[in-house]
Amino acid sequence: KAGVTQTPRYLIKTRGQQVTLSCSPISGHRSVSWYQQTPGQGLQFLFEYFSETQRNKGNFPGRFSGRQFSNSRSEMNVSTLELGDSALYLCASSSTPAAEAFFGQGTRLTVV
Amino acid sequence: AQTVTQSQPEMSVQEAETVTLSCTYDTSENNYYLFWYKQPPSRQMILVIRQEAYKQQNATENRFSVNFQKAAKSFSLKISDSQLGDTAMYFCAFYTGANSKLTFGKGITLSVRP
């Protein structure tokens, strides 16, 4: 069974641009969550989707948005990038929200 | 609000020895799940062990076991027979259906010395 796949793995963007990150969950998993990891703030929750519905959203500005498609694949978008958005973005999938979460290898976003 | 505290930023252990990583949490929920995740230098988060709060028996996975003290809100991870491949950052995490998210501690960097 293939694991959680995140694309791209690395990304360099300029301040003010926007970016879209993609996450393909493990086959059969319907819950997808996103986390931001930085050295200063650690791991912070961004969103959780289950069956195309956003069930929870973390304390991030409206520039951060996401969605989930009918095949459970998920995307997150960050508009008007700031230097502070530089981070490792991790996606996790699980069969149900309370089941074990399996993480992808992350997308390393650098904003210059 | 749920919080997870890992007070030790880093630890070091000799290969083949046993080490215990501490974690405390705070919640008013009665039904929740606790996890330990490992993040090696590759940055891939790997689930080490999972504990359901309603289960009194401590979870065990090969060389990894937990000491779950629900009343004290403590959830420590014991690694027996430490191996070089255990060198990684370890995160304690908490999940409740009410919030539908994992809340992570700050993590602890574990180094296994040869």
Side-chain angles (χ1 to χ4, degrees):
Chain A
K1 213 179 207 181
V4 178
T5 303
Q6 290 188 247
T7 55
R9 292 287 311 279
Y10 302 93
L11 209 48
I12 300 175
K13 289 286 189 179
T14 304
R15 269 182 305 175
Q17 287 187 312
Q18 77 165 24
V19 67
T20 298
L21 311 182
S22 179
C23 173
S24 293
I26 292 172
S27 178
H29 284 191
R30 293 162 61 194
S31 177
V32 173
S33 300
W34 289 88
Y35 296 84
Q36 181 196 64
Q37 186 176 22
T38 59
Q41 299 298 317
L43 282 148
Q44 293 188 289
F45 170 76
L46 281 157
F47 331 95
E48 193 252 349
Y49 290 90
F50 182 70
S51 295
E52 301 179 68
T53 300
Q54 185 181 90
R55 299 195 331 140
N56 197 5
K57 186 178 194 297
N59 189 25
F60 278 83
R63 300 185 296 107
F64 290 80
S65 62
R67 58 178 175 169
Q68 186 180 33
F69 301 96
S70 59
N71 62 358
S72 293
R73 190 177 71 84
S74 178
E75 288 182 348
M76 67 163 281
N77 184 282
V78 188
S79 62
T80 319
L81 284 165
E82 300 177 0
L83 295 179
D85 297 333
S86 294
L88 179 68
Y89 289 89
L90 292 166
C91 166
S93 80
S94 55
S95 54
T96 61
E100 290 96 317
F102 294 88
F103 283 79
Q105 290 187 290
T107 294
R108 168 75 66 187
L109 172 65
T110 302
V111 182
V112 298
Chain B
Q2 285 82 15
T3 58
V4 178
T5 302
Q6 294 180 254
S7 56
Q8 309 151 303
E10 53 185 271
M11 290 187 75
S12 179
V13 64
Q14 195 75 33
E15 194 177 7
E17 292 189 344
T18 295
V19 64
T20 298
L21 311 183
S22 302
C23 173
T24 59
Y25 60 94
D26 189 26
T27 182
S28 57
E29 300 286 330
N30 198 41
N31 294 320
Y32 51 88
Y33 302 84
L34 293 160
F35 305 86
W36 279 97
Y37 279 91
K38 167 186 176 181
Q39 189 178 43
S42 67
R43 302 304 243 168
Q44 174 83 54
M45 291 282 276
I46 302 164
L47 178 66
V48 175
I49 203 163
R50 176 181 190 246
Q51 174 81 42
E52 290 92 340
Y54 64 86
K55 288 187 177 179
Q56 291 187 327
Q57 186 172 4
N58 289 324
T60 299
E61 286 288 340
N62 302 313
R63 297 183 295 107
F64 300 89
S65 62
V66 298
N67 183 4
F68 174 46
Q69 301 288 328
K70 190 172 183 180
K73 295 180 181 174
S74 169
F75 183 61
S76 61
L77 175 69
K78 186 171 85 171
I79 306 174
S80 304
D81 186 26
S82 296
Q83 300 176 359
L84 297 178
D86 295 334
T87 292
M89 195 143 187
Y90 287 80
F91 293 93
C92 178
F94 172 100
Y95 178 92
T96 175
N99 281 340
S100 193
K101 67 175 184 179
L102 281 167
T103 299
F104 287 90
K106 290 289 188 186
I108 176 171
T109 301
L110 176 66
S111 300
V112 180
R113 306 186 305 274

